[in-house]
Amino acid sequence: MDPYYEQMDKKDERRENFMDAVRQSAPDPDGLPRCPDHLDPIRYRYKQINPHRPCFALPETGEWILYNTPAEITRRIGKTYVAKGAPTKIEDITKENDDGIKDCDIYCFEGETGGQIEKKQGALSLMGFILVRPLPRNAADYAVHIVFRGSRSGKVSRAMYEGASRIGGWRRGNADWVTDLAYATYCDNHFISSKSQSSSGFAISMQGMLPTILKCLDKIHLAKKKKPSEIYVTGHSLGGALATHFVSAVVQGNGYGYIPSDMRLNKMPSNVQTWPWRDTKLITYGAPWVGDREFETEFNNNFKGNARRVVLGNDIVAKPPHRTSSSSLGILCPLTIHGLPDGVTNFANRGSLCHEPYLIRRALIASATHKEDVPAQTKTAYSNPEAEDYWDVNEPWKIFPVFVNLLEDPHFEIARKQSLSSDFGSRAIEYFKCMNSALDKESSFDRRTSPQQNEIRKVVNQLTLDQIGFGNDLDDIYHTWQDFKKQFNLEEQTHNFLGLISLMRLLAVNSTVTDQNITESGFQYLVDLI
């Protein structure tokens, strides 16, 4: 609902106070250590990972995202594991799912971002996954896909400013952006490259997660009783940088490489050393630069033929710093906006928008449909750019400006049933408790809004004590929400967000409430606004 605490983002210090309360709250359910004070804390529940279900989020004010991976992919997933901790423990978190072939497995792995040369402790989170799938030509052979996630942002302008600033000696704020913005600060890290310098942020992050990834690969080898026939490594943005550093560590690093210069230093499991690492296929999307000129030369000498660097248009993130436009790690694969719908063509030349994953995916599809070796089914699905549902065909995510648009999408009802669990209320209580703690501080209000401090605290306190006691009926919840506005002098943003939480809680516990009920109720105003 509010993973980056954007609802607390005022001109005062409310967001900072709220994050302090999160850091000091109850122990993390997955045993993650307390987030360092200079980084934004993000709470996770690894056991809720379920690749079969769609989900939705409100990462920023005014933008809902619905994630819905195509069933052609998810129905094949059998086992789901999560690898975390030091030493690494791999836990089976598979959810029951009767539909599909179930011939693939997924291993999610943990890692750190936000670590710095001066202060290496970062913030832990899930950094990617490993997909294990059988090959169509021979089911006994299998391929491994190692995938790294991109950056989580929240408000980009704030993440950039805080990540680039050095206050108290180190960068602060969003952990991913702290790592990202150290891309042009090079360091010697023999784990990543034994002969050249690499970008310090990505190198520190990759060094920390290598043991976890290799533990997963070793488990895969033991389960399959053989090495894979094919290895793919990929990622977008931050994920593309980490993917490049992972391949570098294995091929030209010293410590986790499959042919280290000193076997006594080798930390790669003996089984995994036998894998066909030299034939690894690396594909990055909108990846930033990850090393100095010597790194580029060394990497291309070792690996250029198997690396593809996909860049859409004038992607500002993928521009090489202080280099000629011909520089590239691997083979550059430029994408243009030719063939995309007019609504996209008109703005996609802008460097920041060219970095968006959904535009890169659309450009890939537009490019692929012009090639002879593309399956006829794919060409048919994307052959009519003028069709109303042109980009709705198996689009893995959609963006909605307001909640009512999300409600009206046919995939929302599935996401609601599978993603909104019955413990939504208890998690909202955690949020309210942190909110109460933050609002208890004078610095959470500026002079103009300080009279509202007690009013907001009264509402939040009542919601906490009543366990979100708005009731289980749509009309009751609406009238209670409106009564709060009449009784207390609430800020508009705070009042609307409390109403949204109460509405989401109702959707979680009352399956009879439909999108039509909501849009025909007094909540129509709210879902049209947020």
Side-chain angles (χ1 to χ4, degrees):
M1 284 291 294
D2 190 23
Y4 309 112
Y5 320 119
E6 299 299 344
Q7 300 298 329
M8 299 293 109
D9 189 25
K10 300 284 186 179
K11 292 181 179 179
D12 44 52
E13 298 178 19
R14 190 178 303 180
R15 184 173 179 272
E16 291 297 324
N17 292 335
F18 187 92
M19 290 192 296
D20 283 342
V22 172
R23 294 187 187 97
Q24 297 167 18
S25 60
D28 189 278
D30 284 293
L32 296 180
R34 186 176 185 272
C35 180
D37 290 344
H38 64 289
L39 298 175
D40 295 354
I42 307 293
R43 297 295 295 271
Y44 292 89
R45 278 180 169 81
Y46 290 167
K47 290 184 179 180
Q48 288 189 326
I49 297 171
N50 187 343
H52 301 284
R53 71 184 185 189
C55 62
F56 56 91
L58 179 64
E60 292 187 63
T61 301
E63 185 178 272
W64 289 87
I65 301 179
L66 174 68
Y67 299 95
N68 187 39
T69 306
E72 287 79 5
I73 296 175
T74 59
R75 69 186 181 87
R76 296 185 59 182
I77 297 172
K79 292 288 187 180
T80 303
Y81 302 91
V82 61
K84 60 180 182 177
T88 301
K89 295 180 180 179
I90 300 177
E91 181 181 355
D92 186 341
I93 57 169
T94 303
K95 306 295 189 298
E96 291 297 326
N97 182 52
D98 296 329
D99 183 35
I101 304 171
K102 299 183 181 178
D103 58 353
C104 302
D105 294 327
I106 276 187
Y107 292 74
C108 306
F109 55 85
E110 186 181 69
E112 275 191 6
T113 53
Q116 299 160 65
I117 294 176
E118 307 91 336
K119 190 178 182 69
K120 288 193 176 181
Q121 184 186 4
L124 284 167
S125 66
L126 286 182
M127 293 304 303
F129 64 86
I130 303 165
L131 174 69
V132 184
R133 66 174 178 89
L135 293 175
R137 62 175 180 269
N138 183 354
D141 292 335
Y142 70 99
V144 165
H145 299 256
I146 304 171
V147 183
F148 295 89
R149 69 164 176 82
S151 300
R152 308 153 303 178
S153 294
K155 184 180 290 184
V156 172
S157 58
R158 182 187 61 240
M160 288 185 65
Y161 171 75
E162 293 182 342
S165 303
R166 287 186 175 274
I167 299 177
W170 48 78
R171 304 173 192 270
R172 63 189 180 92
N174 182 298
D176 290 351
W177 280 75
V178 169
T179 290
D180 291 337
L181 292 172
Y183 74 97
T185 303
Y186 303 129
C187 68
D188 293 309
N189 189 314
H190 68 88
F191 291 110
I192 306 302
S193 176
S194 59
K195 298 179 180 178
S196 57
Q197 290 192 319
S198 49
S199 298
S200 63
F202 305 132
I204 291 169
S205 181
M206 177 49 58
Q207 181 182 339
M209 71 181 78
L210 276 167
T212 305
I213 298 173
L214 293 177
K215 184 70 175 270
C216 292
L217 300 183
D218 193 37
K219 182 176 174 63
I220 292 168
H221 188 108
L222 293 172
K224 293 291 186 179
K225 297 181 173 58
K226 61 186 299 186
K227 63 185 178 183
S229 299
E230 299 175 4
I231 305 172
Y232 299 87
V233 184
T234 189
H236 169 261
S237 191
L238 165 65
L242 294 175
T244 306
H245 270 196
F246 173 79
V247 171
S248 177
V250 172
V251 174
Q252 61 193 32
N254 188 14
Y256 293 98
Y258 76 107
I259 307 180
S261 59
D262 186 341
M263 291 300 293
R264 294 171 300 174
L265 300 177
N266 191 15
K267 300 181 180 182
M268 177 180 279
S270 57
N271 287 328
V272 184
Q273 290 179 37
T274 67
W275 287 25
W277 291 111
R278 277 287 179 185
D279 298 324
T280 299
K281 305 296 188 297
L282 170 67
I283 308 171
T284 65
Y285 302 91
W289 218 253
V290 296
D292 61 8
R293 291 179 183 272
E294 287 71 26
F295 183 96
E296 174 188 348
T297 301
E298 182 187 15
F299 188 89
N300 285 339
N301 286 341
N302 286 323
F303 211 73
K304 184 169 185 176
N306 287 338
R308 300 292 185 272
R309 178 176 167 84
V310 179
V311 178
L312 172 62
N314 190 33
D315 187 341
I316 191 171
V317 174
K319 283 184 174 297
H322 314 301
R323 289 174 171 81
T324 64
S325 59
S326 61
S327 295
S328 178
L329 282 170
I331 298 173
L332 179 64
C333 300
L335 292 175
T336 66
I337 58 174
H338 174 72
L340 293 179
D342 289 341
V344 175
T345 303
N346 291 338
F347 64 71
N349 273 321
R350 289 171 54 188
S352 59
L353 287 170
C354 285
H355 191 63
E356 291 291 334
Y358 78 96
L359 287 180
I360 296 174
R361 178 180 182 272
R362 292 181 178 187
L364 282 168
I365 292 171
S367 174
T369 53
H370 293 86
K371 296 183 178 180
E372 296 181 359
D373 58 348
V374 174
Q377 183 180 2
T378 302
K379 287 189 175 184
T380 301
Y382 297 101
S383 60
N384 183 12
E386 303 303 322
E388 184 178 349
D389 62 348
Y390 181 68
W391 293 118
D392 286 344
V393 181
N394 289 331
E395 188 89 289
W397 61 83
K398 296 181 183 179
I399 299 174
F400 304 91
V402 289
F403 189 59
V404 68
N405 300 134
L406 175 64
L407 276 174
E408 294 169 349
D409 188 272
H411 293 102
F412 173 75
E413 188 61 24
I414 302 173
R416 167 200 169 179
K417 290 178 180 178
Q418 298 184 5
S419 299
L420 275 177
S421 58
S422 58
D423 71 337
F424 179 87
S426 63
R427 285 182 281 143
I429 293 299
E430 291 182 37
Y431 186 96
F432 285 142
K433 287 180 178 178
C434 291
M435 188 174 179
N436 233 340
S437 178
L439 296 176
D440 200 30
K441 298 180 179 180
E442 293 291 340
S443 57
S444 289
F445 296 83
D446 59 31
R447 291 181 178 179
R448 289 178 297 113
T449 60
S450 58
Q452 294 179 319
Q453 180 175 10
N454 288 332
E455 302 292 291
I456 297 176
R457 289 195 69 245
K458 288 177 184 177
V459 175
V460 174
N461 190 52
Q462 183 171 335
L463 291 175
T464 305
L465 293 175
D466 292 348
Q467 302 288 296
I468 315 185
F470 285 150
N472 294 328
D473 178 83
L474 187 62
D475 288 336
D476 287 345
I477 288 179
Y478 173 72
H479 290 304
T480 304
W481 174 59
Q482 288 294 78
D483 286 343
F484 272 128
K485 190 171 186 179
K486 295 175 183 177
Q487 294 174 26
F488 305 105
N489 182 26
L490 293 180
E491 300 162 342
E492 187 74 11
Q493 178 180 333
T494 302
H495 179 252
N496 289 340
F497 188 62
L498 294 177
L500 181 62
I501 290 179
S502 66
L503 181 60
M504 298 295 280
R505 183 258 182 186
L506 177 66
L507 290 172
V509 300
N510 191 338
S511 60
T512 64
V513 177
T514 66
D515 59 332
Q516 184 174 354
N517 297 149
I518 295 171
T519 54
E520 291 177 354
S521 72
F523 276 116
Q524 174 68 48
Y525 158 77
L526 178 67
V527 296
D528 277 342
L529 181 66
I530 294 184

